[in-house]
Amino acid sequence: MQTITKIAELQEKLNSWHKKGESIALVPTMGYLHEGHQSLIRKAYEQNDHVVVSVFVNPTQFAPEEDLEKYPRDLRHDQLKAETAGANILFTPSVTELYPMNFNSYVKVGDVTEVLEGLTRPIHFQGVTTIVTKLLHIVQPQMIYFGQKDAQQLVVIKKMVRELNFSVKVIGCPIIREEDGLAKSSRNIYLSPSERQAAVSLSQSLKLAKAALINGQRTSHKLIKIIVQRLEAEPLAEIDYVKVVDTQTLKAIDRIDQTALILLAVKIGKTRLIDNLLYQK
Ligand code: PAF
């Protein structure tokens, strides 16, 4: 695996693959890779000739009060994780390489960015869609891979790709969890031991909702009540939202008939965690 920091060098390398008609996959990440990222890289490796993994802690998707500075970074760790999962190139540009002086062009997707995460993180998705657009233009992959854990991000990217006619296939991959159910996330490192224990309440609450769904409970407010009760039993948990929404529009739905997303955001101490359940009939 080769580590590349410059756009021009990356594109020179990719050109030889593009010319031979070989397929290229892109797995965009902010680094501190874990098994969740590795599952994306493995899938990309299975389905394509070459895999580019980008590692870039994207400043435009963080608000000033958020964790940009303390976001975990470890290049050596990322090189090992990416290489073992099958990456051919690790692209690790600097901030100025991607955002030169006076940069002022952004990609904005409407409605689906204005709900859920968008309410507490108003500039977040504009930063995500801008950086993903830049990476798509630089790499020109046939396929791009995202984790289902950031379910809203996946919906936003799919809408952007569809509505702005990007010629790339967006692949969503299942959430990878710790043994006790906590969804893998680079931010889990912020949790103290007692917070780490408390954090399991997110996946446990979704598990209870799933059991209720399987037993025929289809009413959103009843499913939400089951989740809230479990979360409220955890003194360290502070609920931001629990919602049952349509998988494309992200609009709240009263009943689950076909597919639906149950999404939650919860603060455990100072760390805000998200998790979700994708229900498919
Ligand atoms: O999901 C992430 O890690 C980031 O939002 C992404 C897609 C790499 C863009 O910075």
Side-chain angles (χ1 to χ4, degrees), residues 28-30 37 56 58 61 71 124 128 131-132 146 150 153:
T29 81
M30 296 207 301
H37 300 112
F56 180 65
N58 175 36
Q61 70 189 73
Y71 197 87
H124 175 70
V128 172
I131 195 65
V132 170
F146 294 92
D150 294 300
Q153 171 170 278

